[in-house]
Coordinates of all heavy atoms in Angstrom, one line a residue:
Chain B
S292 N 22.0 92.0 20.9 CA 21.6 93.3 20.5 C 21.3 93.3 19.0 O 21.7 92.3 18.3 CB 22.7 94.3 20.8 OG 23.8 94.1 20.0
C293 N 20.8 94.3 18.5 CA 20.6 94.4 17.0 C 22.0 94.3 16.4 O 22.2 93.6 15.3 CB 20.0 95.7 16.6 SG 18.5 96.2 17.4
A294 N 23.0 95.0 17.0 CA 24.3 95.0 16.5 C 25.1 93.7 16.6 O 26.0 93.4 15.8 CB 25.1 96.1 17.3
S295 N 24.7 92.8 17.5 CA 25.3 91.5 17.6 C 25.3 90.8 16.2 O 26.3 90.2 15.8 CB 24.6 90.6 18.6 OG 24.6 91.1 19.9
C296 N 24.2 90.9 15.6 CA 24.1 90.3 14.2 C 24.5 91.2 13.1 O 25.3 90.9 12.3 CB 22.6 89.9 14.0 SG 22.0 88.5 15.0
H297 N 24.0 92.5 13.1 CA 24.1 93.3 12.0 C 25.3 94.2 11.9 O 25.6 94.9 10.9 CB 22.8 94.1 11.8 CG 21.6 93.2 11.6 ND1 21.5 92.4 10.5 CD2 20.6 92.9 12.4 CE1 20.4 91.7 10.6 NE2 19.8 91.9 11.8
V298 N 26.1 94.3 13.1 CA 27.4 95.0 13.0 C 28.5 94.0 13.2 O 29.5 94.0 12.5 CB 27.4 96.1 14.1 CG1 28.8 96.7 14.2 CG2 26.4 97.1 13.9
Q299 N 28.4 93.1 14.2 CA 29.4 92.1 14.5 C 29.5 91.0 13.5 O 30.6 90.5 13.2 CB 29.2 91.5 15.9 CG 29.7 92.3 17.1 CD 29.6 91.6 18.4 OE1 28.7 91.9 19.2 NE2 30.4 90.6 18.6
N300 N 28.4 90.6 12.9 CA 28.4 89.4 12.1 C 27.8 89.4 10.7 O 27.3 88.4 10.3 CB 27.7 88.3 12.9 CG 28.7 87.7 14.0 OD1 29.7 87.1 13.7 ND2 28.3 88.1 15.3
P301 N 27.8 90.6 10.1 CA 27.2 90.6 8.7 C 28.0 89.6 7.8 O 29.2 89.5 8.0 CB 27.3 92.0 8.2 CG 28.2 92.7 9.2 CD 28.2 91.9 10.4
G302 N 27.3 88.9 7.0 CA 27.9 87.9 6.1 C 28.1 86.5 6.7 O 28.2 85.6 6.0
N303 N 28.0 86.5 8.0 CA 28.1 85.2 8.7 C 26.7 84.5 8.7 O 25.7 85.2 8.6 CB 28.6 85.3 10.1 CG 30.1 85.7 10.1 OD1 30.8 85.4 9.2 ND2 30.5 86.3 11.2
H304 N 26.6 83.2 8.9 CA 25.4 82.6 9.0 C 24.8 82.5 10.4 O 25.5 82.4 11.3 CB 25.5 81.1 8.5 CG 25.6 81.0 7.0 ND1 26.8 81.2 6.3 CD2 24.7 80.7 6.1 CE1 26.6 81.1 5.0 NE2 25.3 80.7 4.8
I305 N 23.5 82.7 10.4 CA 22.8 82.4 11.7 C 21.7 81.3 11.3 O 20.8 81.6 10.5 CB 22.2 83.6 12.3 CG1 21.6 83.3 13.7 CG2 21.1 84.3 11.5 CD1 21.5 84.5 14.6
R306 N 22.0 80.1 11.7 CA 21.3 78.9 11.1 C 21.5 79.0 9.6 O 22.7 79.1 9.2 CB 19.9 78.9 11.5 CG 19.7 78.7 13.0 CD 18.3 78.4 13.5 NE 18.4 78.3 15.0 CZ 17.3 78.5 15.7 NH1 16.1 78.8 15.2 NH2 17.4 78.4 17.0
T307 N 20.4 79.0 8.8 CA 20.7 79.0 7.3 C 20.7 80.3 6.7 O 20.9 80.5 5.5 CB 19.5 78.2 6.6 OG1 18.3 78.8 6.9 CG2 19.5 76.7 7.1
E308 N 20.5 81.4 7.5 CA 20.4 82.8 7.0 C 21.8 83.4 6.9 O 22.6 83.2 7.8 CB 19.5 83.6 7.9 CG 18.2 83.0 8.3 CD 17.2 83.3 7.2 OE1 17.4 84.1 6.3 OE2 16.1 82.7 7.3
V309 N 22.0 84.3 5.9 CA 23.2 85.1 5.9 C 22.8 86.5 6.4 O 21.8 87.1 6.0 CB 23.7 85.3 4.4 CG1 24.8 86.3 4.4 CG2 24.1 83.9 3.9
L310 N 23.5 86.9 7.4 CA 23.1 88.2 8.1 C 23.5 89.4 7.3 O 24.5 89.5 6.7 CB 23.8 88.3 9.5 CG 23.3 87.3 10.5 CD1 24.3 87.1 11.7 CD2 21.9 87.7 11.0
A311 N 22.5 90.3 7.2 CA 22.7 91.6 6.5 C 23.5 92.6 7.3 O 23.4 92.6 8.5 CB 21.3 92.1 6.1
P312 N 24.3 93.4 6.6 CA 25.0 94.5 7.3 C 24.0 95.6 7.7 O 23.1 95.9 7.0 CB 26.0 95.0 6.3 CG 25.4 94.6 4.9 CD 24.6 93.4 5.2
A313 N 24.3 96.2 8.9 CA 23.4 97.3 9.3 C 23.5 98.5 8.4 O 22.5 99.2 8.2 CB 23.8 97.8 10.7
L314 N 24.6 98.7 7.7 CA 24.8 99.8 6.8 C 23.9 99.5 5.6 O 24.0 98.5 4.9 CB 26.2 99.9 6.3 CG 26.5 100.9 5.2 CD1 26.1 102.3 5.7 CD2 28.0 100.9 4.8
G315 N 22.9 100.4 5.3 CA 22.0 100.2 4.2 C 20.9 99.3 4.4 O 20.0 99.1 3.5
I316 N 20.7 98.7 5.6 CA 19.7 97.7 5.8 C 18.3 98.3 5.7 O 17.3 97.6 5.3 CB 19.9 97.1 7.2 CG1 19.2 95.7 7.3 CG2 19.4 97.9 8.4 CD1 19.6 94.8 8.5

Side-chain angles (χ1 to χ4, degrees):
Chain B
S292 70
C293 309
S295 299
C296 290
H297 300 292
V298 174
Q299 278 184 253
N300 285 291
N303 290 336
H304 283 80
I305 190 158
R306 298 187 182 160
T307 60
E308 311 276 351
V309 175
L310 289 164
L314 177 60
I316 202 166

